[in-house]
Amino acid sequence: MTDDERLARVALTRIVEPGDEVGGRWLRQYGALTTLQRLTTEDEPLPWVTPKRWEALRARADHIRPERDLEDAAAAGVRFLIPGDGEWPQQLDDLGDGRPVGLWVRGKANLRMWALRSVAVVGARACTEYGAHMAASLAADLAERGWVVVSGGAYGVDGAAHRGVLGVGGATVAVLACGVDRPYPRGHVQLIGRIAEQGLVVGELPPGEHPTPSRFIQRNRVIAALTRGTVVVEAAYRSGSLVTARAAQRLGRFAMGVPGPATSALSAGVHDLLRNDAVLVSDAAEVVELVGDMGELAPDRRGPVLPRDLLEPGARQVLAALPGRGSAAPGEIARGAGTTVDDAVGRLYELRALGYVERHGDSWKLTRQAMISVSPDRRSG
């Protein structure tokens, strides 16, 4: 890309809204220079827009100042990336005509390299303590496994995820819906400053621009496209984080959800997502098993090993055949275990030596030890 092309794209970030696919079609068909020239010098509209929309775009074009924007950005330690740059994350090209015109980046790391091994962790702004804990611990564990955690810098789950990564000295990226020199929300100015020092702050909007509801929605598509997968931690039915997860699915990325209480409205959106092709995850190992390289498998999930687990199958069958209360004769126990009386008697003596059963005359019964450690299912049922 030439310097003129870069300057034209800087100007277009003030004219074309993030995610505007009509603007993307102009860039693809005419290039940035011609598109900008038509917007600034010609009254005849470019294709695919109404006269009213063209007039609004022309009004914006009257106030562009690309050289000044680059100067302001440089003074704030911000650089501007465009497609074709060595640092441009090529996975953003999956957005097609909705691809960003360019990206404003604050921080020292290489965005392209970091995005190659990244996961998004997003969720509710008004999250519960459970949601904040799960987001922070999940993000911290991902960082310790060498993954970059991407989120939106917002209150709630986003902030908890960023803090979890920063707490373990990991790598995190905040994608903002405003100018990266003017962080939003204001209560996260210090947090986003820390992210810029230790990680990266990224946005599509030029210096000084403020967020709007539509810009938040469009920001989510960038989070989804940058990463290998999106994890949602707590989300109500109308949560913007679900937009990120669904964008990830459309782009062929993994969408994952951390379940919460069935009665929680803040988990209802996650549960609905899980019913529609998303994958349930509970920790970093399960996330990495999905988005990582072949062989990065989560460990098998097993409950604690109980003494009865160490018994041979035949002994376990005989033990299971004894009644929860009272005693039983060897013949009755043999029928319940599906074996012969002689085999049942032999197993009963083995179990007595281990303290599981005791003999009362011609019958056998469970000991107190067996009642506590072997038959909780019987007692709860």
Side-chain angles (χ1 to χ4, degrees), residues 56-126:
L57 292 170
R58 287 291 308 274
R60 284 190 174 189
D62 288 341
H63 296 87
I64 59 172
R65 43 172 196 162
E67 294 89 351
R68 177 67 179 277
D69 282 337
L70 286 177
E71 290 173 2
D72 290 346
V78 176
R79 60 192 179 276
F80 184 66
L81 302 181
I82 62 176
D85 284 344
E87 196 184 343
W88 180 263
Q90 294 182 0
Q91 57 266 51
L92 290 177
D93 299 346
D94 293 346
L95 291 169
D97 289 337
R99 180 180 70 174
V101 174
L103 288 176
W104 302 87
V105 181
R106 181 179 165 202
K108 297 178 181 179
N110 184 296
L111 178 60
R112 176 175 174 271
M113 298 306 296
W114 273 26
L116 290 174
R117 189 174 168 87
S118 65
V119 177
V121 178
V122 296
R125 285 176 171 81

Side-chain angles (χ1 to χ4, degrees), residues 42 50 177 207 303:
E42 296 188 17
T50 63

Side-chain angles (χ1 to χ4, degrees), residues 350-371:
E350 292 176 13
L351 293 169
R352 186 177 73 168
L354 296 172
Y356 285 108
V357 300
E358 56 190 15
R359 183 173 178 176
H360 288 263
D362 292 333
S363 298
W364 295 79
K365 65 181 295 185
L366 295 170
T367 62
R368 180 175 176 79
Q369 169 189 331
M371 291 292 292

Side-chain angles (χ1 to χ4, degrees), residues 121 124 127-137 156-157 160-161 233-234 258 267:
V121 178
C127 67
T128 65
E129 290 185 9
Y130 164 78
H133 168 74
M134 289 301 299
S137 60
V157 165
V233 182
E234 286 197 324
V258 176
S267 290

Side-chain angles (χ1 to χ4, degrees), residues 176-261:
L176 305 186
C178 56
V180 297
D181 64 326
R182 190 172 296 180
Y184 182 89
R186 300 301 297 171
H188 274 181
V189 169
Q190 289 187 338
L191 173 62
I192 293 171
R194 286 185 61 203
I195 295 170
E197 292 174 2
Q198 189 169 315
L200 291 169
V201 179
V202 178
E204 296 179 77
L205 291 156
E209 280 294 312
H210 63 277
T212 64
S214 64
R215 289 173 173 179
F216 280 118
I217 295 298
Q218 293 301 329
R219 179 271 310 271
N220 293 341
R221 86 194 194 289
V222 175
I223 294 176
L226 272 178
T227 55
R228 292 198 191 179
T230 294
V231 184
V232 182
V233 182
E234 286 197 324
Y237 279 122
R238 292 175 59 84
S239 172
S241 58
L242 298 179
V243 175
T244 312
R246 289 167 184 146
Q249 289 176 316
R250 289 194 300 272
L251 292 166
R253 318 291 201 259
F254 289 101
M256 295 158 276
V258 176

